[in-house]
Amino acid sequence: MNAAYPHLLSPLDLGFTTLKNRVLMGSMHTGLEEEKNGFAKMAAFYKARAEGGVGLIVTGGIAPNFRGRLAPFGSQLSFGFQARKHKVVTQAVHEAGGKICLQILHAGRYAYHPFSLAPSAKKAPINPFKPSAMSERQIKGTIKAFAKTALLARKAGYDGVEIMGSEGYLINQFLASRTNHRTDSWGGSFDNRARLALEIVRAVREKAGADFIIIFRLSMLELVEQGMSWSETVQLARGLEAAGVTLINTGIGWHEARVPTIVTSVPRAAFSWVTAKMKEEGLKVPLITTNRINDPKVAEQILSEGQADMVSMARPLLADPDFVNKAAAGQADRINTCIACNQACLDHVFEQKRASCLVNPQACYETELIFKEAATPKRIGVVGAGPAGMAFACYAAEKGHKVVLMDAAAELGGQFNYAKQIPGKEEFFETLRYFRNRLHDLGVELRLNSPQTPDSLKSAGFDELVIATGINPRTPAIDGVEHPKVLSYLDVLRDKKPVGRKVAIIGAGGIGFDVAEYLAEKGPSLSQDRDRWLRHWGVDKALAGPGGLTAPHKPEAARDIWLLQRKTSKVGKGLGKTSGWVHRQTLNDLGVRMWAGVNYERIDDKGLHIRRGEESLVLDVDNVILCAGQEPNKGLWQQLTDQGVQAHLIGGADVAAELDAKRAIRQGAELAARL
């Protein structure tokens, strides 16, 4: 038994099989399911997590029939030839000592195609396609399809299935009066609305056998109006237990909910109290809790306090496949922690791209981004210890190169040191901790407070030079931009220059939003106080009404802020697909005025003179803060090039694009793989 995490690492006896620990790798679609040669890539992806110690893996959602697909060419398991493709995945996981379940997901009205079906012909607000209402025959056919998929999953070597009954997909749509307007025996009373879920479980159990894991993903907290009440949720849980489920997993929120559930500003373990509330109902079936659990200490606390029997982590195991093994070895400080940014995982999936991970670009690229031991180790000089430079240094050192990492600053991290100060982005501290330890473990020589010149680099005798010197903030051409009340975002975040009560921010990209939140939020960060955060977003811990919603509590703002952009498009349009709305809502709640289509005329003692449409205005502000983009800081690279010295250019110094750490880290990794 591990002394540090005795509950997390203890086995879980399911009767007919035993899980080696309490860690479930939660379901997450990666895009590999639909790619050419995707199953071989998936096999490598899941194998790495099984080798890393995960107790039980759940795949991304696979449809039981054509109409249930998420997209026209989405994954489906209905035929034997499809099952055979999955065997490479299950064999790889079993060879690594792991267990794996297939998630069966019928999209219902969330299906992004014109053939979608739902309990009622009611379009989802996040989908342009209106579903057709299911006939009795289609409902019964869908139940049979779930059972057939489960049997095929068993034949493919899966240890079980997870039935997706939450997040607003088909089964959830039947359960909630919000989406189920039927008047037949599948609608109306809760017994009728719950009928589909229970009949699917019974059919799957009968078809797949007694010695087969059945997880049901139960929507315990809907976060939408006209969702299930708590008494209905408990009634369903008891019905599922009687119907033969092995485990009940916690589902939080619908995709159309206006409460964030997984972005980085959501406090760690923000919803474990819901699972704890269900535990109090006396169910015998083990319960799994989920959402924003990215640290073994947090997981251990949840389990030791009896809030759940297992913890589900999806993105944390994208970030570090060896999460469990590191925890077991007493090396939690070596875990590459998920920062819940969504930039390379969920954002990619929603854009029909392959998922990966900002802090681990090897995720879902295990067969392509490979770091073989260098045949001829080189001495490599890296200038710039931001995300790109740190990533390159680690991967290159991993291959056996001798790396010297240099930076003019006094600390590692580059622009990450500014990001970590933003309320809700405290997880960036973890990435810096990970890189600091990784560089140390790999023997990278670190030289901080060490500005470099072409001469100093040439005289050092490096075999290769990598320039990762980052960006310079761009100063827009505005009359009066040199006025004393004008500050750059570095003046604010790095140099801590005082900022007045009334502020105009020029530039509404990611940095503009970050600075606005940094200046507007008053007191401790909401993301560090779960109960305050729940009140802010209107989540009712008492679950007094259907959906678990109550009136949101808008916080008091520290300043009056205008967030301005020249473009006429929606402010924040370029933010992350799955997180941008959260940033906009947060600033809206803090009273930040977000204006598009602004022309900047001049800055003087009176303030910022602007033109907006036909109207000329003077914003009487104490400070104007420039967040108007960046330019590559490639001066050193250019000097070396001019002197005939070859050097590789990566990160912001190559392309300055809203401090794109995802691209910077991947670029550093790909260069290291080549050298």
Side-chain angles (χ1 to χ4, degrees):
M1 185 68 67
N2 183 278
Y5 312 107
H7 296 84
L8 183 67
L9 298 171
S10 67
L12 179 61
D13 185 358
L14 300 178
F16 56 88
T17 190
T18 299
L19 305 181
K20 61 185 175 185
N21 56 52
R22 305 302 179 101
V23 178
L24 178 93
M25 180 177 176
S27 170
M28 199 171 78
H29 199 77
T30 64
L32 291 172
E33 296 86 351
E34 292 82 26
E35 271 196 27
K36 186 179 180 182
N37 300 321
F39 281 90
K41 295 172 185 176
M42 268 201 296
F45 171 69
Y46 288 123
K47 180 183 180 182
R49 277 77 197 162
E51 288 176 339
V54 173
L56 180 61
I57 294 168
V58 178
T59 70
I62 307 291
N65 53 28
F66 173 75
R67 286 182 180 266
R69 290 181 178 186
L70 279 165
F73 300 100
S75 299
Q76 178 183 342
L77 179 53
S78 305
F79 306 102
F81 76 90
Q82 293 168 329
R84 287 191 287 275
K85 292 180 181 179
H86 285 262
K87 285 187 176 179
V88 65
V89 175
T90 58
Q91 286 170 359
V93 170
H94 292 151
E95 285 168 8
K99 295 183 188 296
I100 185 166
C101 292
L102 177 106
Q103 187 189 75
I104 312 176
L105 181 154
H106 191 300
R109 72 176 191 161
Y110 282 167
Y112 208 81
H113 55 71
F115 310 105
S116 58
L117 293 174
S120 304
K122 186 172 172 62
K123 190 175 83 67
I126 58 172
N127 195 341
F129 296 101
K130 184 179 179 179
S132 300
M134 295 176 80
S135 67
E136 174 103 7
R137 182 178 176 182
Q138 286 171 326
I139 292 171
K140 290 182 175 177
T142 298
I143 294 168
K144 289 180 181 176
F146 268 85
K148 183 179 181 183
T149 298
L151 181 61
L152 288 170
R154 178 161 195 151
K155 288 179 177 178
Y158 286 101
D159 301 285
V161 293
E162 177 175 77
I163 297 168
M164 183 47 148
S166 71
E167 265 84 347
Y169 292 109
L170 180 76
I171 296 173
N172 209 174
Q173 292 161 25
F174 268 87
L175 291 164
S177 59
R178 174 185 182 85
T179 42
N180 187 341
H181 300 166
R182 302 178 72 96
T183 56
D184 62 5
S185 60
W186 302 94
S189 71
F190 186 67
D191 283 343
N192 286 354
R193 286 184 276 127
R195 186 178 163 197
L196 178 70
L198 296 174
E199 289 204 13
I200 285 173
V201 171
R202 285 193 283 264
V204 166
R205 177 56 75 203
E206 183 180 351
K207 200 83 167 176
D211 57 342
F212 192 64
I213 297 169
I214 300 178
I215 309 167
F216 190 91
R217 182 89 163 262
L218 171 63
S219 193
M220 290 193 201
L221 182 63
E222 306 269 69
L223 300 177
V224 291
E225 294 175 356
Q226 298 175 283
M228 287 190 291
S229 69
W230 181 248
S231 62
E232 290 171 342
T233 308
V234 173
Q235 180 185 330
L236 177 58
R238 288 179 175 146
L240 292 167
E241 183 175 68
V245 297
T246 318
L247 296 157
I248 293 178
N249 197 358
T250 302
I252 302 293
W254 289 37
H255 287 314
E256 63 206 66
R258 302 310 290 172
V259 177
T261 56
I262 55 173
V263 297
T264 191
S265 57
V266 176
R268 290 181 177 182
F271 302 105
S272 59
W273 56 272
V274 184
T275 317
K277 192 174 175 69
M278 186 61 77
K279 283 281 288 180
E280 293 169 2
E281 298 292 339
L283 295 168
K284 294 183 178 64
V285 62
L287 301 182
I288 307 164
T289 197
T290 187
N291 286 50
R292 287 289 286 122
I293 301 165
N294 66 348
D295 182 289
K297 285 182 189 171
V298 174
E300 177 65 23
Q301 183 178 352
I302 288 168
L303 297 172
S304 67
E305 292 176 358
Q307 296 180 57
D309 302 288
M310 287 190 81
V311 292
S312 172
M313 293 181 271
R315 295 170 303 163
L317 293 158
L318 268 184
D320 197 331
D322 295 314
F323 183 105
V324 179
N325 284 349
K326 287 178 180 177
Q331 296 179 337
D333 61 343
R334 265 57 183 172
I335 291 172
N336 193 1
T337 304
C338 167
I339 60 174
C341 66
N342 290 357
Q343 291 179 34
C345 51
L346 290 175
D347 285 356
H348 278 208
V349 170
F350 278 98
E351 293 164 4
Q352 311 297 313
K353 299 177 185 173
R354 190 195 307 187
S356 189
C357 177
L358 182 147
V359 299
N360 176 22
Q362 214 176 1
C364 297
Y365 288 83
E366 285 80 7
T367 63
E368 295 150 275
L369 187 55
I370 299 168
F371 303 100
K372 294 179 181 174
E373 187 175 348
T376 308
K378 296 179 178 180
R379 187 165 179 269
I380 304 175
V382 184
V383 184
M390 292 190 297
F392 171 83
C394 288
Y395 289 117
E398 208 173 282
K399 291 180 61 174
H401 295 300
K402 178 65 179 172
V403 182
V404 180
L405 179 60
M406 300 161 277
D407 201 295
E411 60 180 340
L412 281 167
Q415 301 279 332
F416 263 30
N417 289 308
Y418 316 134
K420 71 187 182 185
Q421 301 175 56
I422 308 305
K425 289 194 172 181
E426 291 83 4
E427 295 288 11
F428 282 74
F429 279 98
E430 301 289 357
T431 305
L432 292 170
R433 179 263 311 149
Y434 168 76
F435 273 123
R436 195 178 301 115
N437 288 337
R438 188 78 182 129
L439 291 164
H440 174 270
D441 293 346
L442 289 165
V444 172
E445 183 182 340
L446 187 59
R447 298 179 187 174
L448 298 174
N449 294 307
S450 181
Q452 298 299 314
T453 65
D455 287 343
S456 68
L457 292 172
K458 285 190 292 184
S459 64
F462 293 114
D463 300 313
E464 300 273 359
L465 282 174
V466 177
I467 307 301
T469 42
I471 56 87
N472 290 318
R474 191 174 70 83
T475 301
I478 302 172
D479 186 21
V481 77
E482 303 298 330
H483 193 279
K485 65 173 59 182
V486 177
L487 301 171
S488 76
Y489 69 86
L490 291 181
D491 291 328
V492 176
L493 298 175
R494 181 188 64 195
D495 302 333
K496 302 294 186 292
K497 290 189 177 178
V499 178
R501 168 79 191 174
K502 293 188 288 184
V503 178
I505 298 172
I506 291 177
I511 300 164
F513 268 80
D514 279 354
V515 171
E517 195 161 347
Y518 175 79
L519 293 174
E521 196 162 304
K522 195 173 188 177
S525 172
L526 276 172
S527 66
Q528 304 300 296
D529 186 335
R530 183 174 77 176
D531 288 343
R532 258 180 77 224
W533 183 90
L534 291 168
R535 286 196 300 274
H536 171 211
W537 285 99
V539 180
D540 178 19
K541 283 185 76 175
L543 301 179
L549 293 175
T550 186
H553 179 267
K554 292 191 178 182
E556 183 185 350
R559 290 177 175 83
D560 294 329
I561 298 173
W562 286 261
L563 181 60
L564 312 171
Q565 69 176 32
R566 277 201 173 100
K567 289 184 286 189
T568 56
S569 55
K570 184 178 181 179
V571 176
K573 185 180 179 183
L575 298 176
K577 196 170 182 69
T578 59
S579 58
W581 72 271
V582 182
H583 296 300
R584 281 191 295 271
Q585 186 62 51
T586 299
L587 293 190
N588 190 59
D589 290 347
L590 289 163
V592 175
R593 302 165 184 87
M594 292 174 269
W595 290 0
V598 174
N599 287 310
Y600 312 110
E601 295 186 335
R602 68 182 183 279
I603 302 164
D604 58 23
D605 291 344
K606 293 180 180 179
L608 175 61
H609 297 249
I610 64 171
R611 188 165 186 81
R612 191 178 179 221
E614 299 300 313
E615 188 179 14
S616 291
L617 298 165
V618 181
L619 301 182
D620 177 19
V621 293
D622 303 307
N623 290 107
V624 176
I625 300 174
L626 304 179
C627 300
Q630 307 84 31
E631 294 164 346
N633 179 17
K634 58 174 71 180
L636 178 60
W637 175 84
Q638 191 62 59
Q639 289 173 334
L640 288 165
T641 302
D642 291 345
Q643 294 178 28
V645 179
Q646 276 199 323
H648 305 276
L649 190 65
I650 60 172
D654 178 35
V655 179
E658 279 299 331
L659 311 186
D660 190 352
K662 175 183 70 174
R663 187 189 57 79
I665 290 174
R666 174 164 288 279
Q667 197 177 20
E670 289 174 345
L671 176 60
R674 291 195 303 271
L675 287 184

